[in-house]
Amino acid sequence: MSNSEQLDFSYFPGCSMATTAAESNASLMKAARVLGFNLIELEDWNCCGSSSASTLCKDLALGMAARNLSLAPAGRPLVAMCPRCLLYLRRAQARLRQDPEIRRELEERWQRPIPLDLEIMHFLEVMARFGLDRLRQSVKRSLKGLKFVPYYGCTVFGPPDLEREKHYQGEMENILKVLEAQPLIGAYTHRCCGSFLSATDPELVTPLVNEIIDSAVAAGAHCLVTSCAMCQLNLEIRCSSRIKLPIFHFSEVLGLGLGAEDYEGWFIRHLVDPRPLLHNLALVA
Amino acid sequence: MSRTLPQAKTDAPMPAITPGERNRSLLAEVKKRSGTDFNRCFQCRSCANGCPFVQAMDHPPNAVLRLLQYGLDQQVLECNTIWVCVGCHTCSSQCPMAIDIAAVMDTLRLLAMERGAAIAKPNILDFHEEVLHSLQRYGRAHKLGIMWHYKLQTRRWFSDMDTGLKMLAHRKLELRPSRVQAIDEITGLFKCYWGESR
Ligand code: SF4
Ligand code: SF4
């Protein structure tokens, strides 16, 4: 194997990756293994709190996120795939740094230390920092001809209260260009997907999702590639436009480029089947 | 692509405003708890123009700030804007005065509940509470359960059936919840929301 040096990370899947977006999880694991990233699932992790805990009770939101931090062994970074999980985990850490009182209380409650210097990052950052050379050495399948719109959604860029944290603009393009896929500009790349309104008020979300997809169609894209599982789902289930584009998880495209052959199991879970596109472009056999 | 500029719904006439007579207690509290000072707001409307959901709001985000400054507390706490807002931070990142409007909305939701204001979008509050029930029970979100109870609660049985069935067919909704083993470590956290009784 070309990537001799294994890198260890703690991995926080989060509720979406564990259920609705199991195909993203499977492809991520595949890609990570080939690239020599050892993603070790956080033992007995819980939900990050999501926007619901954050909306209803700040202490609860902090507690939910903080328990996950208390489960993370020191000495290796914690990786999340969902931008919202990432946000709540980082926000909790920032809060605990400022408030030693609450930290002590939570540590006593669980009888575990909560590491404050733990590095928390999105998988895109893992790729950007450690993955590009590994990827170049391991490409198995060229995705030449695949025109995609990188769709980051609203959260992965980090909202203002975490503005000194890292931003990821352009990273998805940098990474997928290694696979010879072609990024397009001119579409909505970080417009909000509708979040929980997709469940409570779908009629508000459909026009927005249509705008996002239509903008990608107008730009000449074959597909969108997302860095967020919730965005992926909302873009798939709420689109009512005439032309529906396949919405890939970032990890799936990565997995394809790394030569995955077990993609059938990922793609049957899509509401817009990407297989015809891949066959038309002769990217898969 | 032709697009009309998004506008907030403004069917209801705005009540007469007499700023001098109002007290500003909500204003001060919002500033303190959100850590956001919006005195610098000059009503440029960038926030409203960027907000993906402004069309569904009774007041655009900039107007919420203005209502707060005018001391129109009840209108602020009872407007649907604060509930429709998903916290996408588009407004905050577009504001030329670096005002974190999303943080203000976040604080206003909490204040609306704390002060017993009429909740303009009760279905959204119901949904968040269903998610909390799931988190308390399993430590993780069980989407099928959440949607089931949410529909039961809001009696929207047949709305959106089609999507639900498609998701089931593509195995996107797990029948059985995935759970946290050490659930005791989680349940205790919920006292701060439900109180001691649950
Ligand atoms: S963008 Fe900022 S300055 Fe402009 S109206 Fe909104 S809050 Fe005020
Ligand atoms: S954070 Fe809320 S108010 Fe701001 S743009 Fe997003 S939905 Fe609109």
Side-chain angles (χ1 to χ4, degrees):
Chain A
M1 198 171 95
S2 48
N3 301 305
S4 46
E5 197 203 346
Q6 280 264 104
L7 290 181
D8 286 350
F9 300 91
S10 296
Y11 170 52
F12 178 80
C15 303
S16 286
M17 296 291 281
T19 58
T20 38
E23 68 280 11
S24 179
N25 200 49
S27 49
L28 173 67
M29 287 304 161
K30 179 99 194 179
R33 205 173 315 121
V34 178
L35 293 168
F37 299 139
N38 188 18
L39 300 184
I40 306 160
E41 186 168 320
L42 215 56
E43 178 98 36
D44 206 31
W45 59 270
N46 58 270
C47 167
C48 68
S50 83
S51 46
S52 296
S54 173
T55 300
L56 299 183
C57 177
K58 294 294 167 202
D59 292 340
L60 173 60
L62 176 65
M64 295 290 287
R67 179 173 176 273
N68 291 309
L69 300 180
S70 81
L71 298 172
R76 57 180 192 238
L78 176 62
V79 172
M81 193 62 172
C82 167
R84 276 276 150 170
C85 299
L86 181 80
L87 167 68
Y88 293 127
L89 294 172
R90 281 181 167 172
R91 202 177 254 176
Q93 191 185 46
R95 177 79 198 288
L96 293 172
R97 277 187 188 138
Q98 286 165 2
D99 204 329
E101 195 69 29
I102 297 190
R103 179 190 173 199
R104 216 166 313 135
E105 192 196 306
L106 290 171
E107 289 184 334
E108 260 165 44
R109 178 192 281 262
W110 298 315
Q111 296 293 308
R112 287 189 296 270
I114 304 177
L116 293 188
D117 48 1
L118 183 75
E119 225 187 330
I120 309 173
M121 57 175 94
H122 192 272
F123 183 70
L124 272 181
E125 184 178 342
V126 176
M127 283 306 297
R129 278 171 62 185
F130 312 107
L132 283 175
D133 282 334
R134 289 167 186 251
L135 183 58
R136 275 184 208 106
Q137 290 164 23
S138 323
V139 184
K140 289 271 159 35
R141 181 188 274 130
S142 162
L143 300 181
K144 206 176 183 116
L146 183 70
K147 295 181 187 168
F148 71 97
V149 162
Y151 179 79
Y152 290 91
C154 64
T155 300
V156 76
F157 291 117
D161 63 338
L162 295 167
E163 66 193 357
R164 266 159 304 188
E165 300 279 351
K166 295 129 194 152
H167 288 218
Y168 303 99
Q169 176 82 51
E171 296 299 355
M172 213 166 1
E173 294 92 306
N174 289 342
I175 298 161
L176 298 185
K177 271 195 275 190
V178 174
L179 306 174
E180 298 185 287
Q182 183 190 343
L184 298 176
I185 51 168
Y188 288 126
T189 55
H190 55 271
R191 198 161 168 82
C192 170
C193 71
S195 182
F196 59 80
L197 289 177
S198 175
T200 60
D201 297 78
E203 66 286 355
L204 299 182
V205 173
T206 292
L208 284 174
V209 164
N210 287 347
E211 270 182 23
I212 295 169
I213 310 274
D214 292 351
S215 78
V217 171
H222 295 130
C223 61
L224 289 87
V225 182
T226 69
S227 54
C228 169
M230 181 172 68
C231 294
Q232 197 274 347
L233 184 66
N234 282 351
L235 293 184
E236 273 203 334
I237 64 175
R238 294 304 171 207
C239 178
S240 67
S241 288
R242 197 174 50 83
I243 303 177
K244 297 186 174 57
L245 296 182
I247 320 286
F248 287 103
H249 298 280
F250 167 72
S251 52
E252 290 175 330
V253 184
L254 202 57
L256 278 181
L258 290 167
E261 293 300 343
D262 50 354
Y263 51 80
E264 290 285 325
W266 313 340
F267 296 148
I268 51 166
R269 296 174 53 90
H270 283 237
L271 270 63
V272 183
D273 191 343
R275 284 170 295 184
L277 167 66
L278 296 174
H279 285 296
N280 286 346
L281 295 173
L283 298 177
V284 297
Chain B
M1 223 182 334
S2 77
R3 280 208 325 130
T4 44
L5 216 55
Q7 293 287 339
K9 275 196 304 200
T10 44
D11 330 72
M14 294 278 278
I17 289 170
T18 31
E21 294 166 11
R22 312 272 169 176
N23 78 48
R24 311 279 162 86
S25 68
L26 185 66
L27 177 67
E29 174 112 24
V30 171
K31 284 185 179 172
K32 192 167 116 230
R33 284 177 53 177
S34 65
T36 306
D37 182 357
F38 41 91
N39 281 351
R40 307 187 293 277
C41 170
F42 62 106
Q43 292 293 316
C44 73
R45 264 191 75 103
S46 293
C47 51
N49 288 340
C51 175
F53 298 105
V54 69
Q55 280 158 311
M57 294 172 169
D58 40 18
H59 300 292
N62 57 303
V64 170
L65 301 188
R66 196 52 128 204
L67 290 171
L68 271 170
Q69 289 167 330
Y70 283 155
L72 293 166
D73 298 2
Q74 197 185 350
Q75 280 188 52
V76 172
L77 294 178
E78 295 184 355
C79 73
N80 78 3
T81 303
I82 59 178
W83 294 100
V84 169
C85 166
V86 297
C88 69
H89 291 85
T90 310
C91 50
S92 310
S93 52
Q94 292 184 349
C95 174
M97 304 308 280
I99 296 166
D100 189 354
I101 303 118
V104 173
M105 298 293 171
D106 201 34
T107 307
L108 285 172
R109 284 186 285 269
L110 290 169
L111 283 164
M113 289 185 289
E114 282 171 22
R115 298 194 177 188
I119 305 294
K121 291 282 290 171
N123 66 318
I124 293 180
L125 183 56
D126 288 341
F127 173 79
H128 288 315
E129 291 203 329
E130 284 313 331
V131 175
L132 249 53
H133 283 303
S134 182
L135 301 189
Q136 184 175 25
R137 215 169 296 142
Y138 310 118
R140 296 179 188 168
H142 178 230
K143 289 185 192 173
L144 183 60
I146 292 168
M147 290 320 289
W148 177 264
H149 288 286
Y150 170 72
K151 299 265 174 207
L152 204 70
Q153 183 90 339
T154 54
R155 296 175 198 276
R156 296 174 70 177
W157 275 113
F158 296 104
S159 67
D160 221 22
M161 269 292 246
D162 189 39
T163 312
L165 290 177
K166 266 192 228 147
M167 286 179 67
L168 275 173
H170 290 267
R171 286 183 259 151
K172 296 236 155 226
L173 292 169
E174 308 283 314
L175 297 178
R176 293 157 60 99
S178 112
R179 352 165 140 247
V180 169
Q181 298 305 311
I183 191 71
D184 291 351
E185 295 191 359
I186 307 273
T187 17
L189 295 171
F190 283 75
K191 287 206 183 98
C192 59
Y193 186 67
W194 305 118
E196 296 288 331
S197 56
R198 318 266 299 231

